[in-house]
Amino acid sequence: MPALRLHAANHHLTLVSNSDTVTDYNRRYFGSWWKAFEVPSASAWTGPLLAADVDHDAYTRLRDLVELCPHEKTAYARAQTLVAHDDTGTITAVSPTPQLAYQHHTAAGRLTVHGPDVDQVALASARIARDALRGLLWPTAGPCCTLRPPSATGRPS
């Protein structure tokens, strides 16, 4: 299984996929911003992990699960998304269009994306990985990005 480590500042996220197309897309996407390099699959299972699998059956199974249990409707990435929570803290979300299912296992720190279309899975995994890395970086960047109130002249002091 291809594995890609995305590294920014002192933080990293590992992306695994059953598709070389997904990891290749993410390597190209992140290579110009952050470090993105292949790692052995065995070392991928430590730290924050995003699994992005092209898998029609997994998508269908999760879609059916969410549709049958109590769920909320929201929008994510401009798509209607159904979101369900279970007793273990797992969050499962499904976007019927573009046929993507997301499952966050909070206790394990693992997020999975499933869908039948390789391009949609690649795009969704890049979006999630980008947002996750930004979230990891924010505690470092946040304090230096704080604006002070304007002075009497209307300029930041």
Side-chain angles (χ1 to χ4, degrees):
M1 181 177 291
L4 186 67
R5 178 87 23 97
L6 307 172
H7 188 79
N10 293 327
H11 303 285
H12 75 273
L13 169 76
T14 303
L15 171 76
V16 295
S17 180
N18 64 349
S19 168
D20 288 329
T21 302
V22 171
T23 52
D24 289 346
Y25 178 88
N26 277 274
R27 184 183 309 102
R28 287 190 310 273
Y29 181 83
F30 287 104
S32 60
W33 295 351
W34 297 317
K35 295 176 184 171
F37 50 92
E38 288 186 39
V39 294
S41 297
S43 70
W45 304 98
T46 61
L49 179 69
L50 171 60
D53 291 333
V54 180
D55 187 335
H56 185 271
D57 293 340
Y59 164 77
T60 302
R61 187 180 81 260
L62 291 172
R63 181 199 63 206
D64 293 347
L65 172 73
V66 170
E67 288 177 348
L68 291 174
C69 67
H71 59 268
E72 302 166 17
K73 293 181 181 179
T74 190
Y76 175 69
R78 296 187 213 151
Q80 179 184 7
T81 305
L82 311 177
V83 182
H85 304 261
D86 72 12
D87 295 338
T88 68
T90 298
I91 302 165
T92 305
V94 175
S95 295
T97 304
Q99 291 190 316
L100 291 167
Y102 309 90
Q103 196 164 47
H104 184 233
H105 304 275
T106 52
R110 179 179 179 190
L111 182 93
T112 58
V113 180
H114 299 284
D117 182 87
V118 68
D119 293 332
Q120 291 294 338
V121 172
L123 180 62
S125 63
R127 179 184 305 115
I128 291 167
R130 179 192 65 216
D131 290 345
L133 278 172
R134 283 181 180 162
L136 291 169
L137 290 170
W138 180 249
T140 305
C144 70
C145 296
T146 304
L147 294 177
R148 294 183 294 204
S151 66
T153 63
R155 297 184 193 142
S157 50

